[in-house]
Amino acid sequence: MLQGWFLVFILFWVVVLITLFAIGGFFMFRKFLKRLPKEDGKSDMDWEEYYVEKTKSFWTEEQRALLDELVSPVPELFRDVARHKIAGKIGEVALKENASRLTLDIIIKGYILATPKRDHKFLRKKMNELNIDITPYEHFF
């Protein structure tokens, strides 16, 4: 039978492994749910990819640099995913407004709409750093 410090060591690792598996499973399940098709036959990720592809020609180098600057507060591990999600939302806004090119107004609207409510504090801080007036966009918050 297990006794003493070895028992404590084994129980510690059991708890650590179960916790890590639960955390990993949670994030994998979230990704799985985003891939499930909705009523229209497309998933959230399919629509995001559609908007990015449709508006790929709208982007200029300056606008891409602005997008990179806007997602810079996001931890590097998640930055590519955030950039793609925000670009998808910006593309959605551009297509809904029947725009033929992207403007700063469209980029800011898409950025605000793509950012989760819990991160709006960081969004406002980043906009202030870039000297972008957010008063016309207050109703999007």
Side-chain angles (χ1 to χ4, degrees), residues 54-55 57-59 63 94-95 97-103 106:
K54 279 293 225 187
T55 59
S57 62
F58 293 5
W59 290 88
Q63 292 166 335
L95 291 178
E97 292 184 6
N98 294 322
S100 59
R101 62 183 181 86
L102 293 180
T103 62
I106 292 172

Side-chain angles (χ1 to χ4, degrees), residues 38-80:
K38 305 290 184 217
E39 296 84 28
D40 59 1
K42 287 190 174 187
S43 68
D44 292 339
M45 293 178 83
D46 291 336
W47 279 113
E48 185 179 295
E49 189 65 38
Y50 169 80
Y51 291 126
V52 168
E53 288 299 317
K54 279 293 225 187
T55 59
K56 191 178 268 189
S57 62
F58 293 5
W59 290 88
T60 65
E61 284 304 314
E62 296 84 27
Q63 292 166 335
R64 286 188 181 147
L66 175 62
L67 180 62
D68 288 340
E69 183 64 31
L70 291 174
V71 297
S72 64
V74 177
E76 194 167 340
L77 181 63
F78 307 109
R79 199 170 291 158
D80 289 336

Side-chain angles (χ1 to χ4, degrees), residues 9 35 38 44 94 106 115 119 121 127:
F9 177 74
R35 271 287 175 206
K38 305 290 184 217
D44 292 339
I106 292 172
T115 305
D119 295 336
K121 178 177 67 172
M127 298 288 236

